[in-house]
């Protein structure tokens, strides 16, 4: 497999600083070499250029809309270019608003893709339903065709057309879903496995049901968007910003990665919300090592060898 690594040093989808250092700490943690040691052909495509728009006032309660929207366009353009020359793109975030651009870019190359969203949160608030105005809690709302009439066209987002259907999404790991998001998930029948279902059915059954729900014939390309806060906070301490206890264990997260890798249909993996400024040095090292060990399993490192 040819892997294209893309750094997306972005933090304006939320109000804390730190996620802009995500790509740096993951690279310093040796991610490129570790994937090469798995026998992968890995090409580092550098970082997406981040745009900072001055006087970027909130619009419809969404914060930094122009900065997020214009950067998302650059992300989409870069992801599209990477996927024209590599088999898989590994996007290193950056807060989870980066998924607006990564999914839009991937969908240009793989229009039939499905999305697996591994996260404590549903990230599908519209600007109207969001209580924080942070766009990292809204990315899917900008991408889902059925939500187009509910989502105001924010300044900076003129370039973006929704490119996935609600039925093409499956969540795993939910445990902090807002009321407005719950309504959207129910109204549009989005496949969602919360931590309760993980406990009820076990991770193996959940992964199988999620894949079957979005792609019963097992032939569509997969965009996997991984928010490190899906993992239990004792593991991904640097995702403390929205740390929600009772998350996925390391083994459950490994299992998801191994099973998705086994499909052979992985098109892109986003790794979002690594914030090395939250927590101390030990927290940072733990989160980086943990996250890299999960990424390795998306690319062929299997516990059984
Ligand atoms: N749904 C939240 C969190 C989004 C997290 C984004 B991520 O990419 O990390 O998944 C939650 C908003 N709100 C925070 C305060 C609580 O009292 C109620 C929920 C929001 O801000 O929209
Ligand atoms: Mn989250
Ligand atoms: Mn998220
Ligand atoms: Mn977060």
């Amino acid at each position: 497999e040819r892997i294209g690594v893309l750094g997306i040093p972005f933090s304006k989808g939320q109000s804390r600083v730190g996620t802009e250092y995500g790509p740096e700490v993951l690279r310093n943690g040796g991610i490129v070499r570790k994937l090469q040691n798995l026998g992968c052909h890995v090409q580092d495509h550098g970082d997406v250029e981040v745009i900072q728009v001055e006087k970027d006032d909130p619009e419809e309660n969404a914060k930094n809309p122009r900065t997020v929207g214009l950067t998302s366009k650059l992300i989409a353009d870069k992801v599209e270019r990477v996927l024209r020359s590599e088999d898989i793109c590994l996007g290193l975030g950056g807060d989870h608003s980066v998924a607006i651009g990564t999914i839009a870019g991937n969908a240009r190359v793989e229009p039939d893709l499905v999305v697996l969203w591994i996260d404590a949160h549903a990230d599908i608030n519209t600007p109207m339903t969001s209580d924080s105005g942070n766009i990292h809690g809204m990315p899917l709302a900008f991408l889902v065709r059925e939500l187009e009439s509910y989502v105001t066209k924010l300044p900076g987002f003129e370039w973006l057309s929704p490119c996935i259907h609600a039925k093409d999404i499956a969540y795993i790991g939910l445990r902090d879903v807002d009321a407005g998001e719950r309504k959207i998930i129910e109204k549009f029948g989005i496949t969602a496995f919360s931590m309760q279902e993980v406990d009820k059915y076990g991770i193996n059954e959940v992964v199988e049901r999620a894949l079957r729900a979005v792609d019963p014939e097992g032939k569509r390309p997969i965009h996997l968007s991984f928010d490190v806060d899906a993992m239990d906070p004792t593991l991904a301490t640097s995702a403390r910003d929205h740390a929600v206890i009772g998350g996925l264990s390391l083994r459950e997260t490994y299992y998801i990665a191994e099973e998705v890798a086994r499909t052979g249909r992985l098109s892109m993996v986003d790794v979002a919300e690594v914030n090395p400024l939250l927590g101390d040095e030990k927290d940072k090292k733990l989160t980086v090592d943990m996250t890299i060990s999960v990424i390795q399993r998306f690319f062929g490192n299997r516990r059984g060898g």
Side-chain angles (χ1 to χ4, degrees):
E1 304 260 69
R2 294 180 55 91
I3 302 171
V5 175
L6 183 60
I8 315 175
F10 193 62
S11 65
K12 295 300 179 192
Q14 36 95 65
S15 17
R16 305 279 289 263
V17 292
T19 53
E20 64 269 41
Y21 302 112
E24 181 185 324
V25 292
L26 290 171
R27 282 199 178 98
N28 292 349
I31 183 64
V32 173
R33 185 175 32 78
K34 288 181 177 175
L35 292 179
Q36 284 165 336
N37 292 348
L38 292 180
C40 306
H41 177 284
V42 186
Q43 168 74 41
D44 190 337
H45 289 251
D47 286 355
V48 172
E49 185 212 342
V50 165
I51 296 204
Q52 175 59 52
V53 172
E54 300 311 316
K55 252 194 71 46
D56 191 1
D57 297 328
E59 185 83 18
E60 301 278 347
N61 132 17
K63 295 173 188 160
N64 310 317
R66 299 159 192 82
T67 299
V68 175
L70 295 179
T71 302
S72 296
K73 181 178 183 328
L74 295 182
I75 294 170
D77 294 347
K78 191 85 188 221
V79 164
E80 180 185 5
R81 261 202 308 286
V82 170
L83 283 173
R84 298 276 184 219
S85 63
E86 313 285 6
D87 300 310
I88 304 178
C89 183
L90 170 58
L92 304 177
D95 70 65
H96 219 163
S97 67
V98 306
I100 297 168
T102 61
I103 292 173
N106 191 3
R108 292 176 191 165
V109 181
E110 300 288 3
D112 195 31
L113 64 79
V114 295
V115 174
L116 295 184
W117 198 273
I118 315 302
D119 202 326
H121 310 94
D123 293 5
I124 198 164
N125 274 304
T126 68
M128 233 71 76
T129 66
S130 168
D131 68 0
S132 67
N134 293 324
I135 294 182
H136 75 157
M138 312 179 197
L140 285 169
F142 294 102
L143 296 162
V144 170
R145 297 170 191 275
E146 292 84 352
L147 287 175
E148 190 162 20
S149 56
Y150 299 82
V151 177
T152 323
K153 184 59 82 176
L154 298 178
F157 286 75
E158 295 80 1
W159 62 277
L160 177 62
S161 299
C163 54
I164 57 176
H165 287 287
K167 67 171 178 43
D168 299 334
I169 300 167
Y171 288 114
I172 298 177
L174 298 180
R175 53 191 189 275
D176 180 8
V177 177
D178 301 341
E181 295 179 308
R182 179 80 253 148
K183 287 194 187 71
I184 290 169
I185 290 168
E186 264 149 28
K187 180 179 173 66
F188 297 104
I190 297 178
T191 300
F193 294 99
S194 74
M195 289 310 297
Q196 183 181 357
E197 280 77 43
V198 172
D199 292 334
K200 180 176 182 179
Y201 301 121
I203 194 64
N204 58 333
E205 184 69 26
V206 161
V207 174
E208 198 178 309
R209 290 183 184 205
L211 285 171
R212 196 169 47 235
V214 296
D215 178 19
E217 290 161 40
K219 62 182 193 328
R220 297 175 65 177
I222 297 168
H223 184 112
L224 193 125
S225 206
F226 175 56
D227 184 328
V228 291
D229 72 27
M231 293 197 285
D232 193 278
T234 55
L235 298 168
T237 51
S238 279
R240 197 191 300 283
D241 191 13
H242 284 287
V244 185
I245 55 175
L248 291 169
S249 70
L250 186 56
R251 286 169 47 191
E252 287 167 335
T253 311
Y254 281 175
Y255 186 83
I256 295 170
E258 287 161 348
E259 281 307 292
V260 169
R262 226 161 49 82
T263 66
R265 294 194 309 280
L266 195 52
S267 169
M268 176 147 200
V269 181
D270 307 322
V271 178
E273 298 282 334
V274 171
N275 185 334
L277 301 190
L278 301 175
D280 59 22
E281 262 317 291
K282 194 174 57 62
D283 286 333
K284 178 177 119 179
K285 182 165 173 12
L286 180 68
T287 300
V288 168
D289 292 348
M290 210 59 63
T291 303
I292 289 179
S293 74
V294 169
I295 294 173
Q296 288 173 292
R297 278 153 186 83
F298 279 112
F299 295 101
N301 179 313
R302 297 163 54 86
R303 283 173 281 175

